[in-house]
Amino acid sequence: MRGKFGNRASLCATALLPWALLGAPPAVAQEWATSLIDIHQGSPLSDKARGLGDGGYELQTGSRISFNQWYQTNWVDMHVDLMTQITQDTGILWGFGTGEQGEKYRIEPSLKLGFLTQLHPSANSILSLSFTTTFGGKLTEKPCQADYGDLGTYSVNCRLAASEMAPEETLKYLVNAKPESQHLWLNYRVTF
Amino acid sequence: MNPDVGAAWRAGYKGQGVTITIVDDFSSTSKFSGNFGIGTQTQRHGEWTREEASMVAPLATIRSKDFSTSSSVALSPGLNVLNLSYGMYTNAGYSPSQIGWSAEEASIISYATKGTAVVSKAAGNDAVAVGGVTSGQQDYLDLALVGKASAIFVGALNSNGTTSNKASMAWYSNIAGSNQAVQSHFLVVGVTGDKTGLYGTSFAAPIVAGYAAIVGSKFTRATPTQITNQLLNTARTDTLANYSASVYGKGEASLSRALAPLSIK
């Protein structure tokens, strides 16, 4: 299921907008009806975390270390997007992401907030605007402890522990990535 | 390869902060031709070994010390690696302590004894054990470095070994021999003379010198003796045909293993 609906949240929200705001009777709107507009697992950061698991290296003894063991997870970040209709032409977009974690990374839970509004420039057209902002959801990579025998034990970037880079320098390459935090969507629809 | 590894390499971690001093011939009229993959060149022995070391560790500071000067070899700040692609021959039968060393070799032997510089010494091209007699002569520089903390003797393989295509000792290369003090400080590397036109353990030692520089640039607090031991302790034996310590010493130098952790969690 992961990724099946990935990157479609905004499209779904906009596609549902005319139905959600036009189809609901005013009485329902006044009750602040809430609709589920998207649910999916996976995100660009989730994919990035998985990508960190590509590769590996040999230890001094010749035994092979695969990065995959550090960047796999039993639960992929799930995002739920909802819309609460306030008036006939406005609504609040909100939602959350569960986050995910593996042995050497964590994607923190996220909260999404925004709004939808629409205008009717003519009888057969709709101009809609949505804006969302996301809080949290940051991807953080964790360091490893590498034992280099007589040369000491260091905190290192797990993936770069066998590179030519000084152990302490590898920490600069730990991934710290934020999700796409703001999204603005403008849509104009004409019905013929 | 992970893209971040490439980024790290591009950031430049190939021997910076380390000085490799090539003690060799930089002044004689003797020149010969070869090709390190950048076109045929004709140059002196020292110019070849210097070029090779700089290709292995491109960011190391490379210094040239003409061995005809016989003056003491100076050390630079930071980790020092000395490359000795030459020997000091005279009639067999003396002990190294009987040799009247010049300031040059005396300084080198002192550095290897005290562990103040990694000394990468070409094992020799007489197909005998290190320090062995050939044509009634011995390499006393080899003998003087036996048992020294940060000295490495480097023999030549006829190729770079793999587990599926194991390498053998080059026909000319000196071997470790039965002395365990030599065996424990003896490494081998591939010298692909079929490609470069350059044969001899002279072209094995600069590879290990370059490896030492790279390991030293990674472990900036490590002593020359620790760098030496790291290279010796991580050498591979599974890439060598009929491995024996009396031939290959500790085995084929492996830069990747010398850089890798023993364990990680």
Side-chain angles (χ1 to χ4, degrees):
Chain A
M1 179 173 181
R2 184 182 71 79
K4 188 175 179 182
F5 303 116
N7 300 323
R8 291 186 180 178
S10 299
L11 181 61
C12 292
T14 308
L16 288 171
L17 180 64
W19 175 84
L21 298 182
L22 294 176
V28 175
Q30 288 166 6
E31 292 173 5
W32 289 33
T34 296
S35 307
L36 174 67
I37 56 175
D38 187 29
I39 182 168
H40 67 268
Q41 277 189 293
S43 67
L45 287 188
S46 202
D47 292 341
K48 186 179 183 71
R50 215 72 61 243
L52 298 178
D54 296 336
Y57 48 73
E58 283 188 350
L59 299 175
Q60 285 181 23
T61 55
S63 59
R64 185 160 182 81
I65 285 284
S66 171
F67 299 161
N68 183 52
Q69 62 180 303
W70 292 323
Y71 301 96
Q72 60 186 3
T73 184
N74 293 326
W75 173 259
V76 176
D77 192 12
M78 174 178 275
H79 292 262
V80 177
D81 293 332
L82 303 142
M83 186 189 69
T84 299
Q85 188 171 354
I86 299 171
T87 69
Q88 187 170 353
D89 290 318
T90 60
I92 295 172
L93 281 173
W94 60 285
F96 60 88
T98 61
E100 66 175 69
Q101 64 180 353
E103 187 179 343
K104 292 299 176 186
Y105 79 97
R106 178 171 186 259
I107 297 175
E108 61 189 19
S110 62
L111 178 67
K112 181 187 282 186
L113 284 175
F115 68 89
L116 283 163
T117 187
Q118 64 182 19
L119 302 169
H120 303 274
S122 63
N124 61 346
S125 66
I126 301 170
L127 177 63
S128 56
L129 172 72
S130 74
F131 174 77
T132 61
T133 185
T134 301
F135 304 95
K138 200 170 90 172
L139 166 63
T140 306
E141 188 179 13
K142 302 173 186 174
C144 282
Q145 287 296 312
D147 176 7
Y148 291 96
D150 291 343
L151 298 177
T153 299
Y154 296 84
S155 180
V156 295
N157 181 319
C158 309
R159 296 171 292 115
L160 298 174
S163 73
E164 298 173 357
M165 187 182 286
E168 53 272 26
E169 291 291 314
T170 66
L171 297 175
K172 295 178 182 174
Y173 293 85
L174 288 172
V175 172
N176 272 299
K178 293 179 179 176
E180 191 179 81
S181 60
Q182 294 182 329
H183 198 201
L184 181 66
W185 186 274
L186 185 63
N187 187 39
Y188 181 62
R189 183 182 225 183
V190 179
T191 304
F192 298 100
Chain B
M1 181 186 299
N2 188 289
D4 279 350
V5 175
W9 284 6
R10 283 192 295 276
Y13 287 88
K14 294 186 177 180
Q16 79 279 23
V18 179
T19 301
I20 302 177
T21 300
I22 310 292
V23 185
D24 212 312
D25 166 30
F26 293 98
S27 61
S28 78
T29 56
S30 174
K31 297 183 178 182
F32 52 95
S33 298
N35 187 340
F36 274 144
I38 55 174
T40 299
Q41 296 171 282
T42 301
Q43 49 189 359
R44 297 180 182 89
H45 190 274
E47 291 163 342
W48 278 116
T49 55
R50 179 179 63 193
E51 183 171 12
E52 186 179 24
S54 70
M55 292 175 90
V56 177
L59 293 183
T61 299
I62 309 288
R63 293 174 56 211
S64 306
K65 170 73 168 68
D66 192 292
F67 59 23
S68 67
T69 64
S70 299
S71 58
S72 177
V73 178
L75 298 184
S76 298
L79 179 70
N80 283 269
V81 180
L82 308 184
N83 185 79
L84 314 178
S85 290
Y86 69 100
M88 297 291 283
Y89 289 86
T90 192
N91 293 337
Y94 298 105
S95 81
S97 61
Q98 292 177 286
I99 304 297
W101 295 109
S102 69
E104 186 171 68
E105 279 70 37
S107 66
I108 292 168
I109 295 164
S110 172
Y111 298 147
T113 304
K114 295 175 183 172
T116 48
V118 178
V119 176
S120 181
K121 168 71 170 74
N125 301 327
D126 303 308
V128 297
V130 165
V133 179
T134 179
S135 302
Q137 298 209 320
Q138 286 177 286
D139 178 355
Y140 283 92
L141 188 52
D142 266 354
L143 288 171
L145 292 172
V146 172
K148 305 308 184 199
S150 57
I152 303 174
F153 300 104
V154 189
L157 299 170
N158 55 11
S159 65
N160 295 307
T162 66
T163 52
S164 59
N165 192 11
K166 297 177 189 289
S168 300
M169 212 68 179
W171 63 270
Y172 54 80
S173 178
N174 281 3
I175 60 174
S178 58
N179 186 340
Q180 291 186 354
V182 175
Q183 291 177 6
S184 63
H185 281 251
F186 190 98
L187 291 175
V188 288
V189 294
V191 174
T192 52
D194 53 331
K195 295 175 184 168
T196 64
L198 301 168
Y199 294 87
T201 56
S202 284
F203 302 105
I207 295 172
V208 170
Y211 286 3
I214 292 171
V215 174
S217 73
K218 172 166 180 162
F219 300 103
T220 54
R221 294 193 296 272
T223 65
T225 301
Q226 286 178 314
I227 300 293
T228 299
N229 291 336
Q230 183 75 356
L231 288 169
L232 292 165
N233 293 336
T234 56
R236 300 184 66 162
T237 59
D238 58 345
T239 57
L240 302 170
N242 303 314
Y243 168 75
S244 160
S246 63
V247 176
Y248 301 106
K250 294 289 284 184
E252 184 173 11
S254 170
L255 178 61
S256 61
R257 290 194 177 180
L259 295 170
L262 194 57
S263 65
I264 188 166
K265 60 184 178 180

